[in-house]
Coordinates of all heavy atoms in Angstrom, one line a residue:
M1 N 93.9 57.6 -151.6 CA 94.7 56.8 -150.6 C 94.4 55.3 -150.8 O 93.4 54.8 -150.8 CB 94.3 57.3 -149.2 CG 95.0 56.5 -148.1 SD 94.3 57.3 -146.6 CE 95.3 56.6 -145.4
A2 N 95.5 54.6 -151.0 CA 95.5 53.2 -151.4 C 95.4 52.5 -150.0 O 96.0 52.6 -149.1 CB 96.7 52.8 -152.2
T3 N 94.6 51.4 -150.1 CA 94.6 50.5 -148.9 C 95.0 49.1 -149.4 O 94.7 48.7 -150.4 CB 93.1 50.4 -148.5 OG1 92.3 50.0 -149.3 CG2 92.6 51.7 -147.9
S4 N 95.6 48.4 -148.5 CA 96.3 47.1 -148.7 C 95.0 46.1 -148.4 O 94.2 46.2 -147.5 CB 97.3 46.7 -147.9 OG 96.9 46.8 -146.5
T5 N 94.7 45.3 -149.3 CA 93.6 44.3 -149.1 C 94.1 43.0 -148.6 O 95.3 42.7 -148.7 CB 92.9 44.0 -150.4 OG1 93.9 43.5 -151.4 CG2 92.3 45.2 -151.1
F6 N 93.3 42.3 -147.8 CA 93.7 41.2 -147.2 C 93.5 40.0 -148.2 O 92.3 39.9 -148.6 CB 92.8 40.9 -145.9 CG 93.2 39.7 -145.3 CD1 94.4 39.6 -144.7 CD2 92.2 38.6 -145.2 CE1 94.6 38.4 -144.0 CE2 92.6 37.4 -144.5 CZ 93.7 37.3 -144.0
K7 N 94.4 39.2 -148.6 CA 94.3 38.1 -149.4 C 95.0 36.8 -148.8 O 95.9 37.0 -148.1 CB 95.1 38.4 -150.7 CG 94.5 39.5 -151.5 CD 95.3 39.8 -152.8 CE 94.6 41.0 -153.4 NZ 95.4 41.2 -154.8
L8 N 94.2 35.8 -148.9 CA 94.6 34.5 -148.4 C 95.3 33.6 -149.4 O 94.8 33.6 -150.7 CB 93.4 33.7 -148.0 CG 92.6 34.2 -146.8 CD1 91.4 33.5 -146.4 CD2 93.5 34.2 -145.5
T9 N 96.5 33.1 -149.0 CA 97.1 32.1 -149.9 C 96.5 30.8 -149.7 O 95.7 30.6 -148.8 CB 98.6 32.0 -149.6 OG1 98.9 31.5 -148.3 CG2 99.4 33.4 -149.6
P10 N 96.8 29.8 -150.6 CA 96.1 28.5 -150.4 C 96.7 27.8 -149.1 O 95.9 27.2 -148.5 CB 96.8 27.6 -151.7 CG 97.0 28.7 -152.6 CD 97.3 29.9 -151.9
E11 N 97.9 28.3 -148.7 CA 98.5 27.8 -147.4 C 97.7 28.3 -146.3 O 97.4 27.7 -145.2 CB 100.0 28.1 -147.2 CG 100.8 27.3 -148.2 CD 100.8 28.0 -149.6 OE1 100.6 29.1 -149.7 OE2 101.3 27.2 -150.5
D12 N 97.3 29.6 -146.4 CA 96.5 30.2 -145.3 C 95.2 29.6 -145.3 O 94.6 29.4 -144.0 CB 96.3 31.8 -145.6 CG 97.6 32.6 -145.5 OD1 98.5 32.2 -144.8 OD2 97.6 33.7 -146.2
I13 N 94.6 29.3 -146.4 CA 93.3 28.7 -146.3 C 93.4 27.3 -145.6 O 92.4 27.0 -144.9 CB 92.7 28.6 -147.8 CG1 92.4 29.9 -148.3 CG2 91.5 27.8 -147.8 CD1 92.1 30.0 -149.8
E14 N 94.4 26.6 -145.9 CA 94.5 25.2 -145.2 C 94.7 25.5 -143.8 O 94.1 24.6 -143.0 CB 95.7 24.5 -145.9 CG 95.4 23.9 -147.3 CD 94.1 22.9 -147.3 OE1 94.1 22.2 -146.4 OE2 93.3 23.2 -148.2
E15 N 95.4 26.3 -143.4 CA 95.7 26.5 -142.0 C 94.4 27.0 -141.2 O 94.1 26.6 -140.1 CB 96.8 27.7 -141.7 CG 97.0 27.9 -140.2 CD 98.3 28.6 -140.0 OE1 99.1 29.1 -140.8 OE2 98.4 29.1 -138.7
I16 N 93.7 27.9 -141.9 CA 92.4 28.2 -141.3 C 91.5 27.0 -141.2 O 90.7 26.8 -140.1 CB 91.8 29.4 -142.2 CG1 92.5 30.8 -141.9 CG2 90.2 29.6 -141.7 CD1 92.1 31.7 -142.9
K17 N 91.4 26.2 -142.2 CA 90.5 25.0 -142.2 C 90.9 24.1 -141.1 O 90.1 23.7 -140.3 CB 90.6 24.3 -143.5 CG 89.7 24.9 -144.6 CD 89.8 24.1 -145.8 CE 89.2 24.8 -147.1 NZ 89.3 24.1 -148.2
L18 N 92.2 23.9 -140.9 CA 92.8 23.0 -140.0 C 92.4 23.5 -138.4 O 92.0 22.8 -137.7 CB 94.2 22.8 -140.1 CG 94.9 22.0 -139.0 CD1 94.5 20.5 -139.0 CD2 96.5 22.1 -139.2
N19 N 92.7 24.9 -138.4 CA 92.4 25.3 -137.0 C 90.9 25.5 -136.7 O 90.6 25.3 -135.5 CB 93.0 26.8 -136.8 CG 94.6 26.7 -136.7 OD1 95.1 25.8 -136.1 ND2 95.2 27.7 -137.3
N20 N 90.0 25.7 -137.5 CA 88.7 25.5 -137.4 C 88.3 24.2 -137.1 O 87.3 24.1 -136.3 CB 87.9 26.0 -138.7 CG 87.9 27.7 -138.7 OD1 88.2 28.4 -137.7 ND2 87.7 28.1 -140.0
E21 N 88.9 23.1 -137.6 CA 88.5 21.7 -137.4 C 89.0 21.3 -136.0 O 88.3 20.7 -135.3 CB 89.1 20.8 -138.5 CG 88.7 19.4 -138.4 CD 89.2 18.6 -139.6 OE1 89.1 19.1 -140.8 OE2 89.7 17.5 -139.4
I22 N 90.1 21.7 -135.6 CA 90.8 21.0 -134.5 C 90.8 22.0 -133.3 O 91.1 21.7 -132.2 CB 92.3 20.6 -134.7 CG1 93.2 21.7 -135.0 CG2 92.3 19.4 -135.7 CD1 94.7 21.3 -135.1
G23 N 90.6 23.3 -133.6 CA 90.6 24.4 -132.6 C 91.9 25.2 -132.8 O 93.0 24.8 -133.0
W24 N 91.6 26.6 -132.5 CA 92.7 27.5 -132.7 C 93.6 27.3 -131.4 O 93.1 27.0 -130.3 CB 92.2 28.9 -132.7 CG 91.5 29.2 -134.1 CD1 90.2 28.9 -134.6 CD2 92.2 29.7 -135.2 NE1 90.1 29.2 -135.8 CE2 91.2 29.7 -136.3 CE3 93.5 30.2 -135.4 CZ2 91.7 30.3 -137.5 CZ3 93.7 30.7 -136.6 CH2 92.9 30.8 -137.7
P25 N 94.9 27.7 -131.5 CA 95.8 27.5 -130.3 C 95.2 28.5 -129.3 O 94.6 29.6 -129.5 CB 97.1 28.0 -130.8 CG 97.0 28.0 -132.3 CD 95.5 28.1 -132.6
A26 N 95.7 28.3 -128.0 CA 95.3 29.2 -126.8 C 96.1 30.5 -127.0 O 95.5 31.5 -126.4 CB 95.6 28.4 -125.4
S27 N 97.2 30.5 -127.6 CA 97.9 31.7 -127.8 C 98.3 31.8 -129.2 O 98.7 30.8 -129.8 CB 99.2 31.8 -126.9 OG 99.0 31.8 -125.5
L28 N 98.1 32.9 -129.8 CA 98.3 33.1 -131.3 C 99.5 34.1 -131.5 O 99.7 35.0 -130.7 CB 97.2 33.8 -131.8 CG 95.8 33.1 -131.7 CD1 94.6 33.9 -132.3 CD2 95.8 31.8 -132.4
T29 N 100.3 33.8 -132.6 CA 101.3 34.7 -133.1 C 100.5 35.8 -133.9 O 99.3 35.7 -134.1 CB 102.3 34.1 -134.0 OG1 101.6 33.5 -135.1 CG2 103.0 32.8 -133.3
V30 N 101.1 36.9 -134.3 CA 100.6 37.9 -135.0 C 100.0 37.4 -136.4 O 98.9 37.7 -136.8 CB 101.4 39.1 -135.2 CG1 101.0 40.2 -136.0 CG2 101.9 39.8 -133.8
K31 N 100.8 36.5 -137.0 CA 100.5 35.9 -138.2 C 99.1 35.1 -138.0 O 98.3 35.1 -138.9 CB 101.6 35.1 -138.8 CG 101.2 34.3 -140.1 CD 100.8 35.3 -141.2 CE 100.4 34.4 -142.4 NZ 99.7 35.2 -143.5
Q32 N 99.1 34.3 -136.9 CA 97.9 33.4 -136.7 C 96.7 34.4 -136.5 O 95.6 34.1 -136.9 CB 98.2 32.5 -135.5 CG 99.1 31.3 -135.9 CD 99.5 30.5 -134.6 OE1 99.7 31.2 -133.5 NE2 99.5 29.3 -134.9
L33 N 96.9 35.5 -135.6 CA 95.8 36.4 -135.4 C 95.3 37.0 -136.6 O 94.1 37.2 -136.9 CB 96.3 37.6 -134.4 CG 95.3 38.6 -134.0 CD1 94.3 37.8 -133.1 CD2 96.0 39.8 -133.2
E34 N 96.2 37.3 -137.7 CA 95.7 37.8 -138.9 C 94.8 36.9 -139.5 O 93.7 37.3 -140.1 CB 97.1 38.0 -139.8 CG 96.7 38.6 -141.2 CD 98.0 38.6 -142.0 OE1 98.8 37.8 -142.1 OE2 98.0 39.8 -142.8
L35 N 95.1 35.5 -139.5 CA 94.2 34.5 -140.2 C 93.0 34.5 -139.3 O 91.9 34.2 -139.9 CB 94.9 33.2 -140.4 CG 96.2 33.1 -141.2 CD1 96.8 31.9 -141.1 CD2 95.9 33.5 -142.6
Y36 N 93.1 34.4 -138.1 CA 91.9 34.2 -137.1 C 91.0 35.4 -137.5 O 89.7 35.1 -137.6 CB 92.4 34.3 -135.7 CG 91.3 34.1 -134.7 CD1 90.7 32.9 -134.4 CD2 90.9 35.2 -133.9 CE1 89.7 32.7 -133.5 CE2 89.8 35.0 -133.0 CZ 89.3 33.8 -132.7 OH 88.3 33.7 -131.9
E37 N 91.5 36.5 -137.6 CA 90.5 37.7 -137.7 C 90.3 38.0 -139.1 O 89.3 38.8 -139.4 CB 91.1 38.9 -137.1 CG 91.3 38.9 -135.6 CD 89.9 38.9 -134.9 OE1 88.9 39.5 -135.6 OE2 89.7 38.4 -133.8
R38 N 91.0 37.4 -140.1 CA 90.9 37.6 -141.5 C 91.0 39.2 -141.8 O 90.3 39.8 -142.6 CB 89.7 37.0 -142.0 CG 89.7 35.7 -142.1 CD 88.4 35.0 -142.5 NE 88.4 33.5 -142.5 CZ 88.3 32.8 -141.4 NH1 88.1 33.4 -140.2 NH2 88.3 31.4 -141.4
K39 N 91.9 39.8 -141.1 CA 92.3 41.2 -141.4 C 93.8 41.3 -141.4 O 94.6 40.6 -140.7 CB 91.8 42.0 -140.1 CG 90.4 42.2 -140.1 CD 90.0 43.0 -138.9 CE 88.5 43.4 -138.8 NZ 87.7 42.1 -138.8
N40 N 94.3 42.2 -142.3 CA 95.8 42.3 -142.5 C 96.5 42.9 -141.2 O 95.8 43.5 -140.3 CB 96.3 43.0 -143.7 CG 95.9 44.4 -143.7 OD1 95.9 45.0 -142.6 ND2 95.6 45.0 -144.8
V41 N 97.7 42.5 -141.0 CA 98.5 42.9 -139.8 C 98.5 44.4 -139.6 O 98.4 45.0 -138.6 CB 99.9 42.2 -139.8 CG1 100.8 42.8 -138.7 CG2 99.9 40.8 -139.8
A42 N 98.7 45.1 -140.6 CA 98.7 46.6 -140.6 C 97.4 47.1 -139.9 O 97.5 48.0 -139.1 CB 99.0 47.2 -141.9
T43 N 96.3 46.6 -140.4 CA 94.9 47.0 -139.8 C 94.9 46.6 -138.4 O 94.4 47.5 -137.4 CB 93.8 46.5 -140.6 OG1 93.9 46.9 -142.0 CG2 92.4 46.9 -140.1
L44 N 95.3 45.4 -137.9 CA 95.2 45.1 -136.7 C 96.0 45.9 -135.7 O 95.7 46.3 -134.7 CB 95.6 43.6 -136.5 CG 94.7 42.5 -137.1 CD1 95.4 41.1 -137.2 CD2 93.4 42.5 -136.3
K45 N 97.3 46.3 -136.2 CA 98.2 47.1 -135.4 C 97.7 48.4 -135.4 O 97.7 49.0 -134.2 CB 99.5 47.1 -136.0 CG 100.3 45.9 -135.9 CD 101.8 46.0 -136.5 CE 102.5 44.6 -136.3 NZ 103.9 44.5 -136.8
K46 N 97.1 49.0 -136.4 CA 96.6 50.4 -136.3 C 95.5 50.6 -135.4 O 95.4 51.5 -134.6 CB 96.1 50.9 -137.7 CG 95.7 52.2 -137.9 CD 95.4 52.7 -139.4 CE 95.0 54.0 -139.3 NZ 94.7 54.5 -140.7
Y47 N 94.4 49.7 -135.5 CA 93.3 49.8 -134.6 C 93.1 49.1 -133.3 O 92.4 49.4 -132.5 CB 92.0 49.5 -135.5 CG 91.9 50.4 -136.6 CD1 92.1 50.1 -138.0 CD2 91.5 51.8 -136.5 CE1 92.1 50.8 -139.0 CE2 91.3 52.6 -137.5 CZ 91.7 52.0 -138.9 OH 91.5 53.0 -139.9
L48 N 93.9 47.9 -133.2 CA 93.7 47.1 -131.9 C 95.1 46.8 -131.3 O 95.2 47.2 -130.0 CB 93.0 45.8 -132.3 CG 91.7 45.9 -132.9 CD1 91.1 44.6 -133.4 CD2 90.7 46.5 -131.8
L49 N 96.0 46.3 -131.9 CA 97.3 45.9 -131.2 C 98.1 47.1 -130.9 O 98.9 47.1 -129.9 CB 98.1 45.1 -132.1 CG 97.5 43.7 -132.4 CD1 98.5 43.0 -133.4 CD2 97.4 42.9 -131.1
S50 N 97.9 48.4 -131.3 CA 98.5 49.6 -130.9 C 98.0 50.1 -129.6 O 98.6 51.0 -129.0 CB 98.5 50.6 -132.0 OG 97.2 51.1 -132.2
R51 N 96.8 49.7 -129.2 CA 96.2 50.2 -127.9 C 97.1 49.8 -126.7 O 97.5 48.5 -126.8 CB 94.8 49.7 -127.8 CG 93.9 50.3 -128.8 CD 92.4 49.7 -128.7 NE 92.0 49.6 -127.4 CZ 90.8 50.3 -126.9 NH1 90.1 51.0 -127.9 NH2 90.4 50.1 -125.7
E52 N 97.1 50.6 -125.8 CA 97.8 50.2 -124.6 C 97.3 49.1 -123.7 O 98.0 48.4 -123.2 CB 97.9 51.6 -123.7 CG 99.0 51.5 -122.6 CD 99.0 52.8 -121.9 OE1 99.4 53.8 -122.6 OE2 98.8 52.9 -120.7
D53 N 96.1 48.8 -123.9 CA 95.3 47.8 -123.3 C 95.2 46.4 -124.1 O 94.6 45.5 -123.5 CB 93.9 48.2 -122.7 CG 93.0 48.6 -123.9 OD1 93.5 48.9 -124.9 OD2 91.7 48.5 -123.7
A54 N 95.9 46.5 -125.1 CA 95.7 45.2 -126.0 C 96.5 44.1 -125.2 O 97.6 44.3 -124.6 CB 96.4 45.4 -127.4
P55 N 96.1 42.9 -125.3 CA 96.6 41.7 -124.5 C 97.7 41.0 -125.4 O 97.7 39.9 -125.8 CB 95.4 40.8 -124.4 CG 94.5 41.0 -125.5 CD 94.6 42.5 -125.9
F56 N 98.8 41.8 -125.7 CA 99.9 41.4 -126.5 C 101.1 41.2 -125.4 O 101.6 42.1 -124.7 CB 100.2 42.4 -127.5 CG 101.4 42.0 -128.4 CD1 101.2 41.1 -129.4 CD2 102.7 42.6 -128.2 CE1 102.2 40.8 -130.2 CE2 103.7 42.2 -129.0 CZ 103.5 41.3 -130.0
I57 N 101.6 40.0 -125.5 CA 102.7 39.6 -124.7 C 103.9 39.7 -125.5 O 104.2 38.7 -126.3 CB 102.6 38.2 -124.0 CG1 101.3 38.1 -123.2 CG2 103.8 37.8 -123.2 CD1 100.8 36.7 -122.7
S58 N 104.6 40.6 -125.2 CA 106.0 40.8 -126.1 C 107.2 40.1 -125.7 O 107.4 40.0 -124.5 CB 106.3 42.4 -126.0 OG 107.3 42.6 -126.8
F59 N 107.8 39.6 -126.8 CA 109.1 38.9 -126.5 C 110.1 39.6 -127.1 O 109.9 40.5 -127.9 CB 109.0 37.4 -126.8 CG 108.0 36.5 -126.2 CD1 106.8 36.0 -126.8 CD2 108.1 36.3 -124.9 CE1 105.9 35.2 -126.2 CE2 107.2 35.6 -124.1 CZ 106.1 35.0 -124.8
E60 N 111.3 39.0 -127.1 CA 112.5 39.7 -127.7 C 112.3 39.8 -129.3 O 112.6 40.7 -129.9 CB 113.8 39.1 -127.4 CG 115.1 39.6 -127.9 CD 116.3 39.1 -127.5 OE1 116.5 38.7 -126.1 OE2 117.2 38.7 -128.3
R61 N 111.7 38.7 -129.8 CA 111.4 38.6 -131.2 C 110.0 38.2 -131.3 O 109.6 37.1 -131.6 CB 112.3 37.4 -131.8 CG 113.8 37.7 -131.6 CD 114.7 36.6 -132.2 NE 114.9 36.9 -133.5 CZ 115.4 36.0 -134.5 NH1 115.6 34.8 -134.0 NH2 115.7 36.4 -135.6
G62 N 109.2 39.2 -131.4 CA 107.6 39.1 -131.5 C 107.0 39.0 -130.3 O 107.3 39.7 -129.4
G63 N 106.0 38.2 -130.4 CA 105.1 38.2 -129.2 C 103.9 37.3 -129.5 O 103.7 36.6 -130.6
I64 N 103.0 37.0 -128.5 CA 101.9 36.1 -128.7 C 100.7 37.0 -128.0 O 100.7 37.9 -127.3 CB 102.0 34.9 -128.0 CG1 102.3 35.1 -126.4 CG2 103.0 34.1 -128.5 CD1 102.1 33.7 -125.6
I65 N 99.5 36.5 -128.5 CA 98.1 37.1 -128.0 C 97.3 35.9 -127.4 O 96.9 35.0 -128.2 CB 97.5 37.8 -129.2 CG1 98.2 38.9 -129.8 CG2 96.1 38.4 -128.7 CD1 99.0 38.5 -131.0
P66 N 97.0 35.9 -126.1 CA 96.2 34.9 -125.6 C 94.8 35.1 -126.3 O 94.2 36.0 -126.3 CB 96.2 35.0 -124.2 CG 97.5 35.9 -123.8 CD 97.6 36.8 -125.2
L67 N 94.3 33.9 -126.8 CA 93.1 33.8 -127.6 C 91.9 34.3 -126.7 O 91.0 35.2 -127.0 CB 92.8 32.5 -128.2 CG 91.6 32.5 -129.1 CD1 91.6 33.5 -130.2 CD2 91.5 31.1 -129.7
R68 N 91.6 33.8 -125.6 CA 90.7 34.0 -124.7 C 90.7 35.5 -124.3 O 89.6 36.2 -124.2 CB 90.7 33.2 -123.4 CG 89.6 33.3 -122.5 CD 89.7 32.2 -121.5 NE 88.6 32.5 -120.4 CZ 88.6 31.9 -119.3 NH1 89.4 30.9 -119.0 NH2 87.7 32.2 -118.4
A69 N 91.9 36.1 -123.9 CA 92.1 37.6 -123.6 C 91.6 38.4 -124.7 O 91.1 39.4 -124.7 CB 93.5 37.8 -123.1
W70 N 92.1 38.0 -126.0 CA 91.8 38.7 -127.2 C 90.3 38.9 -127.5 O 89.9 39.9 -127.7 CB 92.4 38.0 -128.5 CG 92.1 38.7 -129.8 CD1 91.2 38.3 -130.7 CD2 92.7 40.0 -130.1 NE1 91.3 39.4 -131.7 CE2 92.2 40.2 -131.4 CE3 93.6 40.8 -129.6 CZ2 92.5 41.4 -132.2 CZ3 94.0 42.0 -130.4 CH2 93.5 42.3 -131.5
E71 N 89.6 37.7 -127.2 CA 88.0 37.8 -127.3 C 87.5 38.8 -126.3 O 86.6 39.6 -126.7 CB 87.4 36.6 -127.2 CG 87.7 35.6 -128.5 CD 87.2 36.1 -129.8 OE1 86.3 36.8 -129.8 OE2 87.8 35.8 -130.9
K72 N 88.0 38.9 -125.1 CA 87.5 39.8 -124.0 C 87.8 41.1 -124.4 O 87.1 42.1 -124.3 CB 88.0 39.4 -122.7 CG 87.4 38.1 -122.2 CD 88.0 37.7 -120.8 CE 87.5 36.4 -120.4 NZ 88.1 36.0 -119.0
F73 N 89.1 41.4 -124.9 CA 89.5 42.6 -125.3 C 88.6 43.3 -126.5 O 88.2 44.4 -126.4 CB 91.0 42.6 -125.8 CG 91.6 43.6 -126.6 CD1 91.9 44.8 -125.9 CD2 91.8 43.6 -127.9 CE1 92.3 46.0 -126.6 CE2 92.2 44.8 -128.7 CZ 92.6 45.8 -128.0
K74 N 88.4 42.4 -127.4 CA 87.5 42.9 -128.5 C 86.1 43.2 -128.1 O 85.5 44.3 -128.4 CB 87.4 41.9 -129.6 CG 88.6 41.7 -130.4 CD 88.4 40.8 -131.7 CE 87.5 39.6 -131.3 NZ 87.3 38.9 -132.6
A75 N 85.6 42.6 -127.2 CA 84.3 42.9 -126.5 C 84.4 44.3 -125.8 O 83.4 45.0 -125.9 CB 83.8 41.8 -125.5
C76 N 85.5 44.4 -125.1 CA 85.6 45.8 -124.4 C 85.7 46.9 -125.4 O 85.0 48.0 -125.3 CB 86.8 45.8 -123.5 SG 86.7 44.8 -122.0
V77 N 86.5 46.8 -126.5 CA 86.6 47.8 -127.4 C 85.3 48.0 -128.2 O 85.0 49.3 -128.3 CB 87.7 47.3 -128.5 CG1 87.7 48.2 -129.8 CG2 89.0 47.2 -127.9
A78 N 84.5 47.0 -128.4 CA 83.2 47.1 -129.2 C 82.2 48.0 -128.3 O 81.4 48.8 -128.9 CB 82.6 45.8 -129.4
V79 N 82.3 48.1 -127.0 CA 81.5 48.9 -126.2 C 82.0 50.0 -125.7 O 81.6 50.8 -124.7 CB 80.8 48.0 -125.0 CG1 79.9 47.1 -125.7 CG2 81.8 47.5 -124.2
G80 N 83.3 50.5 -126.0 CA 83.9 51.6 -125.8 C 84.6 51.6 -124.3 O 84.9 52.6 -123.8
K81 N 84.9 50.4 -123.8 CA 85.6 50.2 -122.6 C 87.1 50.0 -122.7 O 87.5 49.6 -123.7 CB 85.0 49.1 -121.8 CG 83.5 49.6 -121.3 CD 83.0 48.6 -120.4 CE 81.6 48.9 -120.0 NZ 81.0 48.0 -119.0
T82 N 87.8 50.0 -121.7 CA 89.2 49.7 -121.6 C 89.3 48.2 -121.0 O 88.7 47.9 -120.0 CB 90.0 50.6 -120.6 OG1 90.0 52.1 -121.2 CG2 91.5 50.3 -120.6
Y83 N 90.2 47.5 -121.8 CA 90.4 46.1 -121.2 C 91.3 46.1 -119.9 O 92.3 46.7 -120.0 CB 90.9 45.4 -122.3 CG 91.4 43.9 -122.0 CD1 90.3 42.8 -121.6 CD2 92.7 43.4 -121.9 CE1 90.7 41.6 -121.4 CE2 93.0 42.3 -121.6 CZ 91.9 41.3 -121.2 OH 92.3 40.0 -121.0
E84 N 90.7 45.5 -119.0 CA 91.4 45.5 -117.7 C 92.5 44.2 -117.4 O 93.0 44.2 -116.4 CB 90.5 45.6 -116.5 CG 89.7 46.9 -116.5 CD 90.4 48.2 -116.2 OE1 91.5 48.1 -115.6 OE2 89.9 49.2 -116.9
G85 N 92.4 43.3 -118.3 CA 93.1 42.1 -118.3 C 92.3 41.0 -117.6 O 91.2 41.1 -117.2
E86 N 93.1 39.8 -117.5 CA 92.4 38.7 -116.8 C 92.4 38.9 -115.3 O 93.3 39.5 -114.7 CB 93.3 37.5 -117.1 CG 93.3 37.1 -118.6 CD 92.0 36.8 -119.1 OE1 91.3 36.0 -118.5 OE2 91.5 37.4 -120.1
I87 N 91.4 38.4 -114.7 CA 91.4 38.4 -113.2 C 92.0 37.3 -112.5 O 92.0 36.1 -113.0 CB 89.8 38.4 -112.8 CG1 89.2 39.7 -113.3 CG2 89.7 38.4 -111.3 CD1 87.8 39.9 -113.1

């Protein structure tokens, strides 16, 4: 079974460096999330974004992931809990 590997382009590396320097946006697109997590979109969708409790705000063309909510969501997943959302 072949797996796709995550590879960074020079543009991706520059974007990561810039965001690490000035701070990541409060809300990420799926592409930005891919760079933030350094995991390919397919992996993120399969294991995290496909979950019913994932903090993904869907729009007609795509969506965003609030960064603070994403970090809380990952913490819940890590300990086997369901993310209940922001209070």
Side-chain angles (χ1 to χ4, degrees):
M1 181 178 189
T3 59
S4 60
T5 57
F6 179 70
K7 294 182 181 174
L8 293 170
T9 66
E11 293 82 17
D12 291 340
I13 293 168
E14 286 303 313
E15 185 174 347
I16 290 170
K17 284 181 183 178
L18 177 64
N19 284 324
N20 284 339
E21 186 176 316
I22 65 171
W24 287 85
S27 295
L28 304 174
T29 64
V30 174
K31 175 62 179 167
Q32 288 171 321
L33 182 65
E34 178 183 45
L35 297 178
Y36 180 77
E37 292 293 335
R38 290 176 182 80
K39 292 177 177 56
N40 67 31
V41 173
T43 300
L44 290 170
K45 285 182 179 178
K46 182 175 180 180
Y47 295 106
L48 296 170
L49 291 174
S50 63
R51 289 177 50 119
E52 201 171 293
D53 60 337
F56 181 76
I57 301 169
S58 182
F59 296 120
E60 189 174 312
R61 303 178 88 195
I64 59 169
I65 303 97
L67 184 56
R68 187 171 169 190
W70 179 255
E71 290 298 332
K72 291 178 182 181
F73 166 72
K74 288 192 315 178
C76 288
V77 170
V79 295
K81 293 187 177 182
T82 299
Y83 176 67
E84 301 292 332
E86 297 294 309
I87 296 175

